[in-house]
Amino acid sequence: MVTFNKFRHFVLGLLNGEHHLGASGDVVKVYLTNNAPDTENDTNLADLAGITEKNGYVATDIQNDVSEALGVASMSGVDVEWTVDADEDGNGVGPFRYAVIYNDTHASDALIGWWDYGSSITLPNVGEKFKVDFGTTVITLE
């Protein structure tokens, strides 16, 4: 199982009130990249370029929501799955290694966190799928 890694700047942004991650708040999207995230220095979407949106792949809203119980807050998201629906250039979708979430409502598309899949992945054929499985929670704050 891949492990969630948060961007350092996200913590500061959260404490400064830049993020409103509940269902009626900010839109959080997930995108794919083959560039290694820099946890200390990447702050905004422009700092970490994603792969080209084509052939059925686009950055996608995770439909985030927040809950709290006994002083523990959690953000959940709906799993996202992409299916290669065309192969316009013979390359399908990819290569990518990282799935990254960011706050699409934030003025500079603030990065939140990422998962490393261990090696580059390419979906070369129409009908191939890739799923980002968030499990029961994306982020937990205690």
Side-chain angles (χ1 to χ4, degrees), residues 18-28 61 64-66 103-106:
E18 296 176 17
H19 303 281
H20 308 280
L21 301 176
S24 60
D26 297 343
V27 172
V28 174
D61 181 358
N64 50 294
D65 195 9
V66 174
N103 184 341
D104 190 47
T105 306
H106 189 277

Side-chain angles (χ1 to χ4, degrees), residues 5 8 11-12 15 21 32 39 45 49 57-58 60 73 83-84 87 89 98 113 125-126 133 140:
N5 303 278
R8 184 184 67 128
V11 175
L12 180 61
L15 294 173
L21 301 176
L32 303 173
T39 302
L45 185 61
Y57 162 74
V58 296
T60 303
T83 303
V84 180
D87 193 11
D89 58 3
Y98 309 93
N125 302 312
V126 172
D133 183 346
T140 301

Side-chain angles (χ1 to χ4, degrees), residues 7-10 31 35-49 111 114:
F7 288 98
R8 184 184 67 128
H9 191 264
F10 168 67
Y31 75 103
N35 299 307
D38 182 340
T39 302
E40 297 299 316
N41 296 308
D42 291 343
T43 60
N44 305 309
L45 185 61
D47 295 334
L48 185 60
L111 297 171
W114 54 278

Side-chain angles (χ1 to χ4, degrees), residues 71-117:
V72 177
S74 297
M75 183 180 85
S76 60
V78 175
D79 296 345
V80 172
E81 183 174 81
W82 293 282
T83 303
V84 180
D85 65 6
D87 193 11
E88 301 162 358
D89 58 3
N91 296 320
V93 172
F96 59 90
R97 177 174 172 167
Y98 309 93
V100 179
I101 57 172
Y102 68 98
N103 184 341
D104 190 47
T105 306
H106 189 277
S108 58
D109 294 328
L111 297 171
I112 296 172
W114 54 278
W115 295 265
D116 181 351
Y117 287 89

